[in-house]
Amino acid sequence: MRVNHKIYCLIVLGALVALLASSCSTTKKLGPNDVLYTGVKRLKYHEDSVKVDDAVKTDIFTAINVKPNNPLYSPYYRTPFPIGLLLYNYIDEDATGFKGWLYKHFAAKPVLIKRVNPQARVDMINTILRNNGYFTSSASYKLHPSKNPKKAKISYYVDVNPPYTIGNVEYIGGGEPLLELVDSLARENRYLKTGNRYCLDSLNAVRVDITNAVRNRGYYFFRPEYIQYLADSIQEKGIIHIKLIESADIPNNANRRYLTNNITATVVNDDGVGEPDTIISRNCTLIKYEPVHIKDNVIPSCIRARKGRQFRVNSIDRTQAALSRLGIFSTVDIQVVPLDSITPDGDGLLDLLINCQLDKPWEVTFEMHGTSKSNSFIGPGLQVGATHKNAFGAGEKFSVDLYGDYEWKTGGGYKGADFDSYEFGIEGKLDFPRLLAPKFLYPSRRYTNWTRFSLSANLMNRPDFFKMAQVGAAVTWEWHTNRYSSHVLSPFKLTYNRLISSTDNFEKVLTDTIVKENNDTVIYRNTALEESFKNQFIPKIEYSYTYDRDLTPRDHITLTANFSEAGNIASGIWALCGADSTKGLFGTPFSQFVKAQAQVVWTRKLGEGELATRVFLGAAHAYGNSSEVPYREQFYVGGSNSVRAFGVRTIGPGGYSPENRNRYTYYNQTGTFKFEANAEYRFPILGYFKGAVFLDAGNVWLLQDDPARPDGLLKMKNFFDQLALGTGVGLRFDMSMLVVRADLGIAIHAPYKSEKRGYYNIEDFKKDGWAFHLAIGYPF
């Protein structure tokens, strides 16, 4: 009855808000000649045999995309509840107290037609058309008043005619080295070709591209404005002939090629004082103001310029980036100083002055947080860390982190559900800003690559079930091959899991597995769960790959793939030693399995909102020395970042449903194969508040049959019917740095058999038909 009462209250509150919004005026404070802008009704192109380029359409849409009040999908649609406008109209701007706070933080002034200025938008469209070669095309607009004459929408119309194209291209010519270089770069440019659509932005981009290439070949003082165009549109209708010319006022230094002369790097301590000590290295003259904790080769190894070579602008950028990525300097300043002297070949000389100041070496962090989980666990957490950012004088980072979490269960519908749990641990890491690895990995020198050595220990206590300890050690390499692709490889990762103690309740989970077979009740011992919790070593090799890129200004994709194997090398060593039985270390067996998973996240901006989608696929298989994959390596679904209509580990594997569902059964609901797909549309509501609607589907299955979990085996004929499906709505408080998320999921289809026929098979909506999740950050 409590849930029904809450739902009833929400319905009544929603009805009251709707009634208030429909009965209150949003034009109350408008002046006699003011008209409220309610968005764009349409943007229509009159295209007969000519299609406007998509990039031009994007620019035109940007010109008319003025947000109305309370936009949902700007500029076309608005949310039905203009809360900001209502507060503006019915609260005085000089109000104090709570009303004044509401007005200050949430009131929104009306967006007026005169402020939008549709004629100015039309002029902007006409300018865009001309700049993109559509010289004979034009735009217009029309107002559409609503029933309330104080409100109106705007329609924009674009009459499209064929665009002008590039005809002949004539280059500068001349015997000077600079002009010959400019001409050769212009001839190589893909845009300056006969038949391409005339576009002013593209012509300007050509000048910038040529200038960047010229400056990277020694002409440091060259600028884009030194290249000009003459355009002739009179000779042929619809054709523009282009001639490149040099500016008449190019200074002498822009015509001269420069070489890199002396490179001097200065480094001081964080207090800025010390005695200078000069060191001559291969790449620069290094001046260290002692005492300063930095090795002599650190700064020279980051310098990309070389004395006597052509001066390249990108060498400055790459040097700045390499020094900054070390993370040990508070400031890095690079200056270019021209000299009066000229080489016998007529080249100028430029000195480079690099000034670096070390940051304070130690950084201490103290973090407190609160946890609220979908399985009704809540509690505080604490993390304390200390990091030395320059441990050995070459950017090495040594860090130690202590963390702890304390949680208690607040109900959940089961008797005796009040019990506490805790987890605490320590982790030490030593990071080197270089790849101490074989050369075949081929990292890019444009990025800082890392080698990490780590040690960790963790103690987890679940008083009603077990107490478990984990100790681990790892060596990890992290590197980039380009700006989009990053790699992480752990050639050595050893973990030791030990079940310190267990309770009668945990033993009940292992033994009280009831399955009905031919109307008979059979009790199985859950050997799969027992095996996955046993004491064991996990000698592991793990590799992950990430591809992260903006495909278009509106589309972004992130691909992550992970593969790991455990025990194969150790098993091979044991086999060479003649072992033919269970293999182990110090009398404890080690696990042997393979695991692979991949995830694709694609987001697309839609007006003011964003559509985010995700597909996840994973599989794990134990063999050889193990009969089950370790419990922490298995997959599960449900919860705040998964299928949100269900709680954590309340569905699966496959069509399995515990005969006697209780607060212990979720330990059985994991699997070795997982598929999940999610879609979520996120949109702004008011200020920091954003909304979302979502659709989730997924489940886990078993790759090996388990009689204690019938219908859990992966079978393609049952795959789609065993996909759990849910929808829902969410509210986000998004401050960029912090996102607090609340999601209400509504179940549509459960993967297990139900007494209720049809695709919607939720028997008890109050108990199984919905789930509420409170979380930090976006789900994907």
mmCIF file of all heavy atoms in Angstrom, residues 625-639:
data_model
loop_
_atom_site.group_PDB
_atom_site.id
_atom_site.type_symbol
_atom_site.label_atom_id
_atom_site.label_comp_id
_atom_site.label_asym_id
_atom_site.label_seq_id
_atom_site.Cartn_x
_atom_site.Cartn_y
_atom_site.Cartn_z
ATOM 1 N N ASN A 625 43.197 -26.336 -15.324
ATOM 2 C CA ASN A 625 43.344 -26.418 -13.876
ATOM 3 C C ASN A 625 42.113 -25.948 -13.113
ATOM 4 O O ASN A 625 42.068 -26.059 -11.891
ATOM 5 C CB ASN A 625 44.556 -25.565 -13.447
ATOM 6 C CG ASN A 625 45.186 -26.076 -12.174
ATOM 7 O OD1 ASN A 625 45.330 -27.281 -11.979
ATOM 8 N ND2 ASN A 625 45.553 -25.157 -11.296
ATOM 9 N N SER A 626 41.115 -25.380 -13.799
ATOM 10 C CA SER A 626 39.925 -24.825 -13.143
ATOM 11 C C SER A 626 38.663 -25.366 -13.785
ATOM 12 O O SER A 626 38.603 -25.581 -15.001
ATOM 13 C CB SER A 626 39.918 -23.292 -13.236
ATOM 14 O OG SER A 626 41.047 -22.730 -12.621
ATOM 15 N N SER A 627 37.651 -25.538 -12.960
ATOM 16 C CA SER A 627 36.333 -25.928 -13.463
ATOM 17 C C SER A 627 35.389 -24.736 -13.536
ATOM 18 O O SER A 627 34.357 -24.797 -14.200
ATOM 19 C CB SER A 627 35.719 -27.011 -12.572
ATOM 20 O OG SER A 627 35.588 -26.541 -11.237
ATOM 21 N N GLU A 628 35.726 -23.629 -12.846
ATOM 22 C CA GLU A 628 34.889 -22.443 -12.854
ATOM 23 C C GLU A 628 35.748 -21.183 -12.932
ATOM 24 O O GLU A 628 36.867 -21.139 -12.407
ATOM 25 C CB GLU A 628 34.015 -22.367 -11.592
ATOM 26 C CG GLU A 628 32.895 -23.378 -11.547
ATOM 27 C CD GLU A 628 31.853 -23.175 -12.628
ATOM 28 O OE1 GLU A 628 31.681 -22.013 -13.067
ATOM 29 O OE2 GLU A 628 31.217 -24.166 -13.047
ATOM 30 N N VAL A 629 35.216 -20.170 -13.602
ATOM 31 C CA VAL A 629 35.857 -18.862 -13.648
ATOM 32 C C VAL A 629 35.743 -18.224 -12.264
ATOM 33 O O VAL A 629 34.696 -18.322 -11.621
ATOM 34 C CB VAL A 629 35.176 -17.964 -14.704
ATOM 35 C CG1 VAL A 629 35.785 -16.566 -14.705
ATOM 36 C CG2 VAL A 629 35.283 -18.598 -16.088
ATOM 37 N N PRO A 630 36.802 -17.578 -11.749
ATOM 38 C CA PRO A 630 36.698 -16.917 -10.442
ATOM 39 C C PRO A 630 35.494 -15.975 -10.381
ATOM 40 O O PRO A 630 35.139 -15.335 -11.379
ATOM 41 C CB PRO A 630 38.020 -16.145 -10.329
ATOM 42 C CG PRO A 630 38.968 -16.907 -11.170
ATOM 43 C CD PRO A 630 38.151 -17.440 -12.322
ATOM 44 N N TYR A 631 34.896 -15.893 -9.190
ATOM 45 C CA TYR A 631 33.645 -15.163 -9.053
ATOM 46 C C TYR A 631 33.777 -13.711 -9.507
ATOM 47 O O TYR A 631 32.880 -13.174 -10.167
ATOM 48 C CB TYR A 631 33.183 -15.213 -7.587
ATOM 49 C CG TYR A 631 31.771 -14.722 -7.398
ATOM 50 C CD1 TYR A 631 30.690 -15.526 -7.749
ATOM 51 C CD2 TYR A 631 31.526 -13.460 -6.883
ATOM 52 C CE1 TYR A 631 29.397 -15.085 -7.582
ATOM 53 C CE2 TYR A 631 30.233 -13.015 -6.714
ATOM 54 C CZ TYR A 631 29.168 -13.823 -7.062
ATOM 55 O OH TYR A 631 27.882 -13.374 -6.899
ATOM 56 N N ARG A 632 34.890 -13.064 -9.183
ATOM 57 C CA ARG A 632 35.058 -11.656 -9.539
ATOM 58 C C ARG A 632 35.251 -11.453 -11.035
ATOM 59 O O ARG A 632 35.153 -10.326 -11.529
ATOM 60 C CB ARG A 632 36.254 -11.058 -8.793
ATOM 61 C CG ARG A 632 36.008 -10.873 -7.300
ATOM 62 C CD ARG A 632 37.073 -10.001 -6.682
ATOM 63 N NE ARG A 632 36.821 -9.752 -5.273
ATOM 64 C CZ ARG A 632 37.495 -8.884 -4.528
ATOM 65 N NH1 ARG A 632 38.470 -8.179 -5.070
ATOM 66 N NH2 ARG A 632 37.214 -8.721 -3.251
ATOM 67 N N GLU A 633 35.537 -12.518 -11.774
ATOM 68 C CA GLU A 633 35.723 -12.420 -13.219
ATOM 69 C C GLU A 633 34.447 -12.736 -13.988
ATOM 70 O O GLU A 633 34.417 -12.623 -15.213
ATOM 71 C CB GLU A 633 36.835 -13.367 -13.682
ATOM 72 C CG GLU A 633 38.199 -13.093 -13.078
ATOM 73 C CD GLU A 633 38.837 -11.842 -13.639
ATOM 74 O OE1 GLU A 633 38.379 -11.354 -14.692
ATOM 75 O OE2 GLU A 633 39.800 -11.343 -13.019
ATOM 76 N N GLN A 634 33.377 -13.132 -13.302
ATOM 77 C CA GLN A 634 32.114 -13.469 -13.960
ATOM 78 C C GLN A 634 31.306 -12.200 -14.230
ATOM 79 O O GLN A 634 31.560 -11.140 -13.670
ATOM 80 C CB GLN A 634 31.324 -14.460 -13.110
ATOM 81 C CG GLN A 634 32.019 -15.804 -12.944
ATOM 82 C CD GLN A 634 31.184 -16.810 -12.165
ATOM 83 O OE1 GLN A 634 29.970 -16.720 -12.113
ATOM 84 N NE2 GLN A 634 31.860 -17.777 -11.539
ATOM 85 N N PHE A 635 30.316 -12.327 -15.100
ATOM 86 C CA PHE A 635 29.480 -11.204 -15.512
ATOM 87 C C PHE A 635 28.154 -11.222 -14.761
ATOM 88 O O PHE A 635 27.680 -12.280 -14.329
ATOM 89 C CB PHE A 635 29.193 -11.264 -17.009
ATOM 90 C CG PHE A 635 30.420 -11.282 -17.881
ATOM 91 C CD1 PHE A 635 30.838 -12.457 -18.491
ATOM 92 C CD2 PHE A 635 31.158 -10.127 -18.100
ATOM 93 C CE1 PHE A 635 31.954 -12.487 -19.298
ATOM 94 C CE2 PHE A 635 32.285 -10.144 -18.903
ATOM 95 C CZ PHE A 635 32.681 -11.324 -19.508
ATOM 96 N N TYR A 636 27.550 -10.042 -14.645
ATOM 97 C CA TYR A 636 26.198 -9.935 -14.092
ATOM 98 C C TYR A 636 25.495 -8.760 -14.762
ATOM 99 O O TYR A 636 26.126 -7.906 -15.393
ATOM 100 C CB TYR A 636 26.234 -9.764 -12.570
ATOM 101 C CG TYR A 636 26.887 -8.483 -12.098
ATOM 102 C CD1 TYR A 636 26.146 -7.310 -11.955
ATOM 103 C CD2 TYR A 636 28.247 -8.447 -11.813
ATOM 104 C CE1 TYR A 636 26.750 -6.141 -11.516
ATOM 105 C CE2 TYR A 636 28.854 -7.280 -11.381
ATOM 106 C CZ TYR A 636 28.091 -6.119 -11.236
ATOM 107 O OH TYR A 636 28.685 -4.959 -10.819
ATOM 108 N N VAL A 637 24.191 -8.713 -14.642
ATOM 109 C CA VAL A 637 23.411 -7.611 -15.201
ATOM 110 C C VAL A 637 22.465 -7.085 -14.136
ATOM 111 O O VAL A 637 22.273 -7.690 -13.083
ATOM 112 C CB VAL A 637 22.604 -8.044 -16.451
ATOM 113 C CG1 VAL A 637 23.501 -8.384 -17.605
ATOM 114 C CG2 VAL A 637 21.691 -9.207 -16.121
ATOM 115 N N GLY A 638 21.833 -5.949 -14.467
ATOM 116 C CA GLY A 638 20.941 -5.293 -13.533
ATOM 117 C C GLY A 638 21.679 -4.243 -12.730
ATOM 118 O O GLY A 638 22.892 -4.293 -12.559
ATOM 119 N N GLY A 639 20.952 -3.240 -12.267
ATOM 120 C CA GLY A 639 21.552 -2.198 -11.466
ATOM 121 C C GLY A 639 21.643 -0.873 -12.186
ATOM 122 O O GLY A 639 21.152 -0.704 -13.310
#
